[in-house]
Amino acid sequence: MSYPGYPPTGYPPFPGYPPAGQESFPPPGQYPYPSGFPPMGGSAYPPAPSGGYPGAGGYPVPGGYPAPGGYPGAPQPGGAPSYPGGQGFGAPPAGAGFSGYPQPPSQSYSGGPTQVPLPGGFPGGHMPSQFPGGQVPYPSQPAAMTQGTQGTIRPAANFDPMRDAEILRKAMKGFGTDEQAIVDVVANRSNDQRQKIKAAFKTMYGKDLIKDLKSELSGNMEELILALFMPPTYYDAWSLRNAMQGAGTQERVLIEILCTRTNQEIREIVRCYQSEFGRDLEKDIRSDTSGHFERLLVSMCQGNRDESQSINHQMAQEDAQRLYQAGEGRLGTDESCFNMILATRSFPQLRATMEAYSTMANRDLLSSVGREFSGYVESGLKTILQCALSRPAFFAERLYYSMKGAGTDDSTLVRIVVTRSEIDLVQIKQMFTQMYQKTLATMIASDTSGDYQKLLLAIVGQ
């Protein structure tokens, strides 16, 4: 299926791509554990300022592709693995965060969901011609989306952590648990406010809120609540650690996090990984992966991508030529050329390069990557390109495939809903409706149940 205006007129869309049976997204239910990126919701919020991250939306989005066939050692649905770093996520007795690890200032979770401005459409007004894995074209981004992005969760006004701690204590006291009271508090507080509730709870009752919640909850609801109570950087570091622990490696989680975060986020994750787990992230990646996939992830964990917003059209032409000569224009593939360009160029620059490539090669770069690469390195390279085109559309697609078909890939659903809830879930919801002619809330409601469903819908908003 070709997208309007891309490839540029005069070139027929490349036929027969993707090859039947080779769509990028395997069926749901096969994505390894750590999930928890909040879905987008609540278009009731006014547009947020576009401060925060530098420039227009050049940052990739978390959310890799579910693994074909699942991962060895992935916990069963509803059996969230134990959380390393202690039950309180490494929080000091009176501290809200994890030990000795400041929150990255640029995330400004406490200051409301302003971050990550999005690109204002594609270079030259063209749309990408093919999005592997989905049969739905990436929609053009509404004008409002170029003004910044919004989360569905905003800091509560008149916030009182001691009052909230008391409500949670009452909800867990005695026989049974008042899950609705827990949902009402957790879904309506920012992550920064949740850290303060955790600290107030310990000060007031001498007990660890996370331990108490774990003893009262189970299954998907437990996984979702614990994800919401982890500071964002810790959650990413924990997810990476969990993906590489034990037998097998959850490569899709590594791709989702490392190929989609900003430089500052990646550097904070690397520091947190070292301070919380006493391990070197790059060394763990090297020992758990190999070949060109290993090189791509090592490149990603340097956090050194160019993040300027200016576009050098001459460089875009040259890069397009080099990529063509490294792939379609020769026998075999020069993988290091793809790695160098996709790991270093800014996202606006990569969009210009994709545009130049389609004009020059009469096919789009995403489909060329699909023909020249396979396996996890293909997924990683495509994730970078897809994020350069549109983060919200990328996450919308990941959410769709986590629920499509029989069964639900709850870990992916949780991870995306939680991690995007204060960043761009509003835009993800808009894209979801545009791409699939149904709302994200409708699909979540039909795929989940009970308190787990109530909490997801409270985060996503209607």
Side-chain angles (χ1 to χ4, degrees):
M1 154 183 305
S2 61
Y3 294 0
Y6 187 89
T9 48
Y11 297 102
F14 191 76
Y17 184 82
Q22 289 186 23
E23 288 79 11
S24 309
F25 297 100
Q30 296 171 2
Y31 201 39
Y33 169 63
S35 76
F37 282 59
M40 300 291 254
S43 36
Y45 296 116
S50 63
Y53 293 101
Y59 303 115
V61 200
Y65 309 79
Y71 296 104
Q76 293 309 307
S82 62
Y83 289 73
Q87 304 283 4
F89 307 144
F98 31 87
S99 49
Y101 189 73
Q103 280 299 288
S106 76
Q107 304 231 17
S108 64
Y109 281 89
S110 57
T114 66
Q115 308 80 353
V116 200
L118 282 174
F122 305 96
H126 296 310
M127 292 300 296
S129 73
Q130 203 91 39
F131 195 79
Q135 295 310 308
V136 183
Y138 261 27
S140 56
Q141 307 200 46
M145 293 182 56
T146 63
Q147 302 306 311
T149 56
Q150 299 161 252
T152 55
I153 292 184
R154 300 168 74 91
N158 308 316
F159 170 63
D160 179 351
M162 295 180 81
R163 186 184 61 212
D164 286 350
E166 194 176 349
I167 292 169
L168 291 176
R169 173 88 175 119
K170 281 181 184 162
M172 295 185 286
K173 228 178 148 187
F175 292 107
T177 306
D178 182 355
E179 276 93 353
Q180 188 58 51
I182 297 175
V183 168
D184 291 341
V185 169
V186 175
N188 295 294
R189 305 291 182 273
S190 67
N191 189 283
D192 188 66
Q193 290 175 333
R194 287 182 217 118
Q195 305 312 316
K196 290 174 178 154
I197 296 171
K198 209 157 67 176
F201 192 92
K202 191 168 273 189
T203 305
M204 293 164 69
Y205 304 114
K207 298 184 74 175
D208 190 302
L209 175 59
I210 302 305
K211 278 186 182 170
D212 278 17
L213 287 166
K214 278 174 75 81
S215 69
E216 296 290 331
L217 304 167
S218 63
N220 294 324
M221 180 67 167
E222 177 190 354
E223 181 175 342
L224 178 54
I225 290 272
L226 295 185
L228 287 164
F229 270 101
M230 290 192 202
T233 306
Y234 180 92
Y235 185 35
D236 278 348
W238 176 85
S239 298
L240 290 170
R241 178 75 191 112
N242 189 71
M244 292 185 281
Q245 262 184 326
T249 303
Q250 298 167 16
E251 288 87 355
R252 305 292 170 169
V253 177
L254 306 184
I255 292 170
E256 174 182 306
I257 294 172
L258 294 171
C259 293
T260 63
R261 300 295 193 261
T262 65
N263 288 346
Q264 168 144 7
E265 287 168 330
I266 287 176
R267 289 170 190 167
E268 297 286 0
I269 289 166
V270 168
R271 279 202 286 275
C272 175
Y273 194 90
Q274 179 70 56
S275 67
E276 289 299 306
F277 312 125
R279 302 178 68 90
D280 182 294
L281 178 57
E282 187 181 320
K283 276 187 186 162
D284 279 1
I285 287 170
R286 286 185 186 283
S287 69
D288 270 60
T289 59
S290 62
H292 296 291
F293 180 53
E294 174 197 327
R295 291 182 209 173
L296 179 65
L297 293 185
V298 168
S299 295
M300 293 296 101
C301 76
Q302 305 312 302
N304 270 332
R305 180 182 295 284
D306 171 24
E307 290 186 339
S308 73
Q309 293 306 301
S310 57
I311 295 175
N312 179 335
H313 291 284
Q314 177 65 32
M315 183 197 281
Q317 292 288 343
E318 290 166 5
D319 283 351
Q321 189 68 41
R322 289 160 81 178
L323 290 170
Y324 183 77
Q325 287 166 354
E328 300 277 13
R330 59 174 281 170
L331 212 57
T333 308
D334 176 3
E335 294 88 356
S336 62
C337 177
F338 279 84
N339 193 99
M340 187 278 288
I341 292 172
L342 270 63
T344 60
R345 303 291 188 251
S346 70
F347 285 104
Q349 184 67 35
L350 282 175
R351 285 196 298 279
T353 302
M354 292 169 84
E355 182 66 25
Y357 186 93
S358 71
T359 305
M360 182 200 74
N362 188 19
R363 55 186 55 168
D364 69 276
L365 186 52
L366 272 166
S367 58
S368 288
V369 167
R371 279 192 296 278
E372 295 294 321
F373 294 87
S374 61
Y376 296 117
V377 68
E378 176 193 355
S379 299
L381 294 171
K382 283 182 174 176
T383 296
I384 294 167
L385 294 174
Q386 289 161 343
C387 288
L389 289 174
S390 168
R391 295 179 77 178
F394 175 84
F395 280 125
E397 186 170 43
R398 291 302 325 115
L399 285 167
Y400 178 75
Y401 280 97
S402 74
M403 294 179 279
K404 184 176 182 283
T408 303
D409 177 0
D410 291 290
S411 286
T412 297
L413 177 59
V414 167
R415 185 169 53 251
I416 296 176
V417 169
V418 172
T419 53
R420 308 317 293 178
S421 61
E422 292 182 51
I423 298 177
D424 54 3
L425 197 47
V426 169
Q427 283 69 36
I428 291 170
K429 284 169 56 177
Q430 289 168 353
M431 281 295 189
F432 192 96
T433 307
Q434 221 173 319
M435 292 164 74
Y436 302 110
Q437 288 75 53
K438 63 173 92 171
T439 67
L440 177 58
T442 307
M443 199 158 179
I444 288 174
S446 67
D447 259 61
T448 58
S449 60
D451 297 307
Y452 172 57
Q453 178 196 72
K454 280 185 202 164
L455 180 50
L456 281 173
L457 292 175
I459 298 166
V460 170
Q462 296 308 305

